[in-house]
Every structure is written in C-alpha cells, then in structure tokens.
Amino acid sequence: MTAQYGFSGSTARDISASVERAVAGGRLVPGAALPPVRRLADELGVSPGTVATAYKELRQRGIVVTRGRGGTVVAQAPAVGSRRPPRVPEGVRNLAGGYPDPAFLPELAPPSRVPPVPGSHRASPRLASLEALTRDWFARDGVPAQCVTFAHGALDCVGRLLSTELKPGDSVAVEDPGFHHLLDLVPALGLRMVPVAVDDQGMAPEALRTALRAGARAMVCSPRGQNPTGACFSRERRDALADVLSAFPEVLVIEDDHNADMSGAPSYSLAAAGLPRWAQVRTVSKHLGIDLRWAGLACDATTLARHDGRLLLTSGWISHVLQETAARLMADEAVRRLVGRAEEVYAERRGALVGELARYGVRAHGASGLNVWVPVRDESAVVNGLRSCGWWVAAGARFRIASPTGVRVTTAELEPADAARLASDLAGVLGESEATYGG
C-alpha cells in the first residue's frame, strides 16, 4: 500500500529530506511504499528525473530499498531509525534474545590502575600481549595470522570492511536466513543485498555462484554457529565454496566466526583456503561477556591496510583498558575451562531440543551455536501460540529476505527437561495452527 504522506520539495534534495523527516518521525514506517516516480513528479510539479534522483539518494543512504516491480519502500531498518525486537511480554520464558547463559560468563577484570596516557595511542594502537593472544587464537584453527588487528565488535568490523571496499549501490552476498543486524547494516551503508540460501552446512555453493555472477563484490558468511540456523561448514562445503570463489578473485570474503569458542563445531574456514581477498572476524561477546566490545580480525595485507586506515581516521584505536581486560581473560586458564564447559553445555541443550522436536516429527536445525531454527508455515501463529504456553521465541521475519518462514529459539539457558516441555508445546501449537506440518 502506498504511504499516505504529503511529500514536498522542488529539488531532489528537498524531496529526499521530506521523506527522511517522515521516516525519522515515524510517519513512514518500515515497509511503507513510496509513490511511483512519475506520479510523485506530477503531484509536485517537477520532472521525473528529479524524483528519481531523490529516490537514488535515499537508497544510497539506506533509508529506502527498491524491490523491482514491488516499487520503492522504506527499509526495514532505515539509517535514520532503529529497529528493536518486540518487547518481551511479562510472565513468559524469554528464548528470543540469542544471548549466552550468564552462568558461563566470567567476571570482567579490568586493570585496577590505569596510568595517564602521554598523548595518544595512534602510534601503537594494539597491546603486544593481546596481539600475540589474537594470533594464537586464529592460528589454532589454521587461519593465517600474519596480519591481525582489532575492532569494537564484529558488526563494527564488518561495517568498516564493507564501507572501505565498496561504494553505495554495490552488492553484497549475504546468508538467507541470516543475522538480522547484518541485514540491517548492509542497506544502511547504501549497499544492495543479494540473498544466498543456507542449509545445515552453510551457504549453498550454486546460490553463491549465482550471486557472484549477478555482480556481488563482497560476501559475508558464518563458518559455524550461523545465526539463526546454527549451520556450520563441513570440509566438503568449505572446499566447494572455495572452488566457486576461485573464479571471482576480486570479491572480498568476510567470515564472521563470532561463535569460535563455543560453537560446538570444528573450524573449516574459507580464510584458510588461500583466497586472495579475505577477512575473518572473531568477537568475545558470546563467551567472555556481552559488554566486552572487542573483536579480533585476521585478513590479507590489503584489507588490513584499508581497515586500519579508516579506524585511525575515526575512533583511532580500541581502548587499551578494554584490550587489557580482554587479554587478562583470554590468558586465564580458569576462564578457558569455563568457556570449554560452556561449549559442552550449549551443545547438550541445543541437541536436546532438536531431539525432542524430532520425537514429534518436527524438523529443526541447530548443528552449532546458541540457537535452533524451526521451519513453520505461520510465524505469528506459532509465536502467539507459544506465548500462551509461557514461551517467547523470535519470529523469523527479522532474519529472512526470500527464504521460507520459521522461528528461532535460543537454547543457551534451556535445560533438557525444559526442552521436552517446549517441544511438546510447540508440537501442540503446530497441530492447532497448521492442518499439516509442512516444515
């Protein structure tokens, strides 16, 4: 439905500003359709080219997206707004957040004394102790660690890599379903998303080939612990994807291995496949603490130079207080044992739900990570049905572009006994809401 909002302006800049004000003020909501170019041009008394230029500017700034015959609509997470998950109702068990179990997170231990900094850290932005730990972190899984650097988290790193490598209007191949914050970030950078289907082993090779042939200049994927499906690369899938990528040497391959320490799956990384342009980012928020906004990056020399050049021009460096905190935790044997135990427990809890659902004939996906993805026909019916049973799960719409519907269940705090009860309730909801469970 076309948005009922009075646009104004006689220039492309004025028209785009009018749309932006409406979006920022909530008068144009995500998904709202803008008028066709010629109709708006007639209404405003300007040329179609003026309106087309305004719409192009809005697309480049991530405020609207174009859907072919579907027209131009407000982006799901416009760059002038912020999309948040639905509020969790009172009195229900929250399994929608995607967060780790606090029982398996160590207490953060920042340095007790921080001496004043003489000048700035731009000349030495990385602590030597943390840099050495980071090289070992990547090298243990066969990821080349000659070039490493730091970022303020995985999304901060991915956003910087994409913005230094691509220009507005370029295309990025992304997983579908995929991490919802990444699906928000890419259009906010003015880039176009090309969805690539995902199965239990990650990106489908032929779907990736199609995306690259369509002009994607970068790809972002998760080698394990994929959010929301839990997919993880097998050795065969990694090799098949590397074979596809060998025909596109100019494409930047970004791996988000955010679950590296508690995914419950071995590492079969594209970063170790000898690609010319590659980067792998790892964050500590899932196994050391969500407030520890630090990530390590391993990459090729060109990518390193571009990333660090942009970092030095903006925030400059990652706080050395934060770096010292991360280094202490990463070197602590007791913390390592806690993280290892967390990985075992998360695998047990994830497997318990998948197994219990299988008893009712309900297919689910969760080979690694913190989440289980359950294909369903009607997301709203399942979410609301489980709410009435005391459970709150995430509707799949936030994670999808063109892939089939589903719901995501975070199992990090779900004990096996609770998994049995949830599976029973979910099977009952599916029986009530779907005449035949179609998966």
Side-chain angles (χ1 to χ4, degrees), residues 173-179 182-183 194-198 202-203 220-224 226-228 231 233 399-401 403:
V174 298
E175 297 165 327
D176 184 22
F179 183 36
L182 176 69
L183 302 188
V194 182
V196 178
V198 173
M203 277 188 166
V220 184
C221 64
S222 298
R224 50 187 169 175
Q226 197 266 354
N227 191 353
F233 288 168
F399 308 93
R400 297 185 293 102
I401 302 173
S403 58

Side-chain angles (χ1 to χ4, degrees), residues 133-221:
L133 288 165
T134 303
R135 292 184 191 279
D136 292 342
W137 193 22
F138 285 105
R140 76 176 192 200
D141 290 322
V143 176
Q146 291 86 355
C147 298
V148 299
T149 189
F150 304 158
H152 292 98
L155 281 174
D156 170 71
C157 182
V158 172
R160 190 173 297 110
L161 291 172
L162 292 176
S163 64
T164 57
E165 187 73 21
L166 309 182
K167 64 182 184 299
D170 284 344
S171 297
V172 181
V174 298
E175 297 165 327
D176 184 22
F179 183 36
H180 57 100
H181 287 311
L182 176 69
L183 302 188
D184 293 343
L185 173 63
V186 171
L189 294 173
L191 305 173
R192 300 176 184 270
M193 293 188 294
V194 182
V196 178
V198 173
D199 60 24
D200 286 336
Q201 297 183 59
M203 277 188 166
E206 287 308 311
L208 175 61
R209 192 191 310 275
T210 299
L212 298 178
R213 285 176 173 171
R217 294 191 55 206
M219 64 171 280
V220 184
C221 64

